[in-house]
Amino acid sequence: MKSILLIDDSEDDVFFMKQAIDTGQFPCNVTVLRQGEDAIQYLATAAEQVSLPDIIILDVKMPGMDGHEVLNWIRTRPKFRHIPVVMLTISNFDRDKDRAYHLGANSYLVKPRKSEELNAMVQLLSKYWLGFNHTLAWT
């Protein structure tokens, strides 16, 4: 079964994203982390003990270590470079988009305001990254 690592500090956004994933065509395991520091700890442990996620959905604006810092950490470790990272955020600022792509984000999506639109976006995101897209198998 495919797996998603969802890193977002917003309880509401996590609820709606998980709901969208659960109602989609691609059953998968979803691990939710609320802080960047927790994501790094989880990935470092996962690399040694459990399988890595098939995709990481990462918020930009989080307290403490933000999404850009987490993305930078991910992309500087060879074991994680193959994992697609989708930035999903409220920030529509060009500087945030530019920094995310410069650091190696695979996609940058701005969260819609309506839950129905977020639902549709997350279902399409899952369909593409978990269905159509092919990544390298990494051991």
Side-chain angles (χ1 to χ4, degrees):
M1 184 178 286
K2 301 279 187 165
S3 64
I4 296 174
L5 176 58
L6 174 59
I7 307 161
D8 195 319
D9 64 313
S10 168
E11 193 171 316
D12 290 339
D13 289 346
V14 167
F15 173 80
F16 288 116
M17 289 189 301
K18 283 186 71 175
Q19 186 177 31
I21 292 166
D22 289 344
T23 60
Q25 315 177 261
F26 297 95
C28 59
N29 295 318
V30 180
T31 300
V32 176
L33 300 171
R34 304 266 185 203
Q35 298 180 351
E37 294 86 351
D38 294 340
I40 287 174
Q41 183 178 13
Y42 174 85
L43 286 168
T45 302
E48 302 301 323
Q49 297 178 0
V50 296
S51 61
L52 296 173
D54 293 294
I55 182 172
I56 298 171
I57 302 174
L58 178 59
D59 188 14
V60 172
K61 304 290 184 188
M62 295 184 293
M65 180 178 261
D66 71 15
H68 288 120
E69 293 169 304
V70 175
L71 177 61
N72 184 58
W73 185 90
I74 291 168
R75 291 300 185 233
T76 58
R77 273 120 186 121
K79 185 128 189 159
F80 307 124
R81 286 187 186 161
H82 73 286
I83 302 172
V85 177
V86 174
M87 306 304 280
L88 184 60
T89 180
I90 60 168
S91 175
N92 199 17
F93 293 116
D94 287 342
R95 68 178 177 271
D96 286 334
K97 294 177 214 174
D98 183 58
R99 185 168 179 212
Y101 282 120
H102 178 74
L103 292 171
N106 295 89
S107 185
Y108 190 99
L109 303 174
V110 177
K111 294 176 186 175
R113 295 185 189 271
K114 295 182 180 179
S115 62
E116 301 83 23
E117 293 173 359
L118 180 64
N119 189 354
M121 177 186 281
V122 172
Q123 286 190 25
L124 287 171
L125 181 145
S126 299
K127 186 175 186 176
Y128 176 78
W129 288 107
L130 299 177
F132 296 134
N133 187 59
H134 294 266
T135 58
L136 295 171
W138 197 265
T139 57

